């Protein structure tokens, strides 16, 4: 499955991820492992436990999660669990910081466009 969701802030609009979790929960999953690019690909949830929950659902059903671009093995060790927790929090923080930069930028762009439209209307 390929999740083409634009926003990882919540699971809404991420139909492929929802279908994946439902297949795992229902026992319909015909695979033994899931390849995930990195920790943030589950989502940049503001509650870091949400992505941990989805991973737990898979693990509980015997489906292993492999992170392709992470520098540690997802082996259940203390160091692996600590790194995943830190990276999940970092993913949520990245979204908060990006939002803080994008929103003022959008406002500034809108003001610029409105100003130019007003000037054209007066010309």
């Amino acid at each position: 499955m390929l999740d083409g969701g634009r926003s990882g802030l919540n699971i809404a609009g991420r139909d492929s991820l929802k279908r994946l979790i439902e297949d795992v929960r229902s026992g319909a999953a015909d695979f033994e492992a899931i390849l995930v690019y990195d920790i943030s690909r589950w989502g940049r949830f503001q509650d870091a436990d949400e992505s941990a929950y989805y991973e737990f659902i898979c693990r509980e059903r015997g489906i292993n999660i492999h992170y392709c671009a992470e520098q540690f093995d997802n082996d259940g060790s203390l160091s692996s669990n600590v790194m995943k927790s830190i990276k999940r929090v970092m993913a949520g923080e990245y979204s908060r910081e990006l939002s803080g930069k994008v929103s003022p930028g959008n406002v500034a762009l809108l003001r610029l466009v409105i100003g130019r439209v007003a000037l054209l209307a007066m010309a």
Side-chain angles (χ1 to χ4, degrees), residues 4 29 37 51 112:
Y37 179 70
S51 58
L112 179 66

Side-chain angles (χ1 to χ4, degrees), residues 110-123:
L110 184 59
R111 286 184 179 147
L112 179 66
V113 168
I114 290 172
R116 291 201 176 167
V117 169
L119 286 174
L120 289 173
M122 288 191 277

Side-chain angles (χ1 to χ4, degrees), residues 40 43-45 86-96:
S40 71
R44 293 186 175 109
F45 305 114
I86 290 169
K87 289 190 169 256
R88 286 180 178 124
V89 170
M90 287 171 55
E93 184 60 25
Y94 172 78
S95 287
R96 277 190 292 277

Side-chain angles (χ1 to χ4, degrees), residues 6 15 20 29 32 38 44 53 75 77 95 114:
R6 283 193 249 167
D15 295 335
L20 173 82
E32 297 175 3
D38 65 24
R44 293 186 175 109
Y53 172 68
D75 58 6
S77 66
S95 287
I114 290 172

Side-chain angles (χ1 to χ4, degrees), residues 38-80:
D38 65 24
I39 298 287
S40 71
R41 298 297 88 196
W42 283 111
R44 293 186 175 109
F45 305 114
Q46 299 307 295
D47 182 347
D49 292 338
E50 188 171 352
S51 58
Y53 172 68
Y54 298 131
E55 182 175 336
F56 172 77
I57 290 169
C58 297
R59 213 175 46 243
E60 184 178 47
R61 292 292 188 157
I63 297 174
N64 295 315
I65 307 298
H66 299 283
Y67 293 107
C68 301
E70 298 294 357
Q71 300 298 313
F72 59 87
D73 290 328
N74 190 17
D75 58 6
S77 66
L78 176 62
S79 60
S80 171

Side-chain angles (χ1 to χ4, degrees), residues 20-31 61 63:
L20 173 82
I21 297 301
E22 184 53 38
D23 285 353
V24 169
R25 279 185 174 148
S26 70
D30 60 350
F31 45 85
R61 292 292 188 157
I63 297 174

